[in-house]
Amino acid sequence: MQNTKHRATHYVLYTAILMGICLNSAFAAEAPAGGGLLSQLGIDPKTILIQAIGFLIVLAVLWKFVFGKVGGLLEDRRNEITTQIEQLRTDREELDRLTAETRQRLADIETEAQTKIQTAIEQGNAERQDILTQARQEAEDEVARARAEIQREKDEAISELRGVVAELAIDAASKIISEELNAERHQHIIDASISRLPADSR
C-alpha cells in the first residue's frame, strides 16, 4: 500500500514538473516578440497556469480522498487474496497429511484384522484337534473299562462255576462212597450231577 502511494505521488510530481516546463517554454517564446505562439493560437498563458494549478489541486484532492482509498482497498484486497491463497495452500498440505495418515491407519487396521482372523482360525483348529484327541481318549478309556468289567464278570462266573462244580463233585463222591453202587447206579449219579451244572459249564 505504501509503495502504491509513493508511485502515485511521483506521478503527480512528474506531471507538475512537465506542465511547469511547458508553461515556462510558452512564456519564454512569447516574451521577445510580444506575441508568441500561444498568443497566435489565442491562448492566454495566465489562464493555462491557473487551469494547471487548479488541475493539480483537483488531482491532489482526488488522490487523497479517492485514489488513495481506492488504492488502499485494492492493496487490502490483494493482501487478503494472498492470505487466502496461503491459507488454502496450508489447508491443502494439512489435508494431504491427514489423508496419508488415514490411509496408513486403515492399512494397519486391515493388517491387524487379518492377523486376528488367522490367529482365531489357528486357535479353532488347535481346539478342535484337542477335542477330537480328548474324545478319542475317552472312548478308548470307556472301551478299556468295559473290557475290564467283562473280564471281571467272566472271572467271577468262572470262579463261581468252579465252586459249584467242586460242590457237585464232592456231593457225588460222597454218595458214591456211602453207597454200594453198581455200574448203572454209578452212571446215574454222575449224569444227575452233570445235569445240575449250569448250561455254560457243560
Side-chain angles (χ1 to χ4, degrees):
M1 182 176 179
Q2 294 295 330
N3 293 332
T4 303
K5 289 183 177 180
H6 288 317
R7 285 197 298 269
T9 303
H10 292 162
Y11 293 153
V12 172
L13 291 176
Y14 294 154
T15 302
I17 292 171
L18 181 60
M19 292 182 67
I21 293 173
C22 292
L23 291 174
N24 187 28
S25 299
F27 289 146
E30 183 182 6
L37 179 62
L38 295 178
S39 297
Q40 294 176 1
L41 294 175
I43 299 174
D44 186 6
K46 294 180 180 180
T47 303
I48 294 177
L49 179 61
I50 293 172
Q51 290 178 350
I53 294 173
F55 173 76
L56 292 176
I57 293 173
V58 172
L59 183 62
V61 171
L62 290 176
W63 170 248
K64 181 173 181 61
F65 296 102
V66 179
F67 297 153
K69 292 183 178 180
V70 172
L73 292 175
L74 292 176
E75 186 69 20
D76 293 340
R77 182 57 179 168
R78 181 169 58 188
N79 293 334
E80 182 180 355
I81 293 173
T82 302
T83 302
Q84 291 178 353
I85 292 174
E86 291 296 330
Q87 184 63 38
L88 288 175
R89 184 180 294 109
T90 302
D91 294 342
R92 179 59 182 271
E93 292 175 355
E94 181 68 14
L95 179 61
D96 292 340
R97 185 184 66 81
L98 293 176
T99 301
E101 290 181 357
T102 302
R103 289 178 179 175
Q104 183 62 38
R105 181 57 181 165
L106 290 176
D108 294 341
I109 292 174
E110 183 177 359
T111 301
E112 184 178 357
Q114 291 294 334
T115 302
K116 289 183 178 180
I117 291 173
Q118 185 63 30
T119 302
I121 292 174
E122 293 176 355
Q123 289 179 351
N125 292 333
E127 291 177 358
R128 183 181 63 180
Q129 187 63 34
D130 292 340
I131 292 173
L132 291 176
T133 301
Q134 183 178 0
R136 188 180 298 110
Q137 185 63 41
E138 290 178 354
E140 292 176 355
D141 294 342
E142 187 66 25
V143 171
R145 284 194 297 270
R147 288 177 178 175
E149 183 67 19
I150 292 172
Q151 185 63 37
R152 184 183 63 79
E153 292 178 355
K154 181 179 178 180
D155 293 341
E156 290 179 355
I158 292 174
S159 178
E160 183 179 354
L161 181 60
R162 286 177 179 174
V164 172
V165 171
E167 291 179 358
L168 292 175
I170 293 172
D171 185 39
S174 299
K175 290 181 179 180
I176 292 172
I177 293 172
S178 62
E179 297 180 2
E180 290 183 358
L181 301 175
N182 54 23
E184 183 179 355
R185 179 62 177 169
H186 189 193
Q187 185 63 40
H188 177 71
I189 292 173
I190 292 174
D191 292 339
S193 298
I194 292 174
S195 65
R196 293 169 59 187
L197 292 173
D200 293 339
S201 62
R202 296 179 185 178

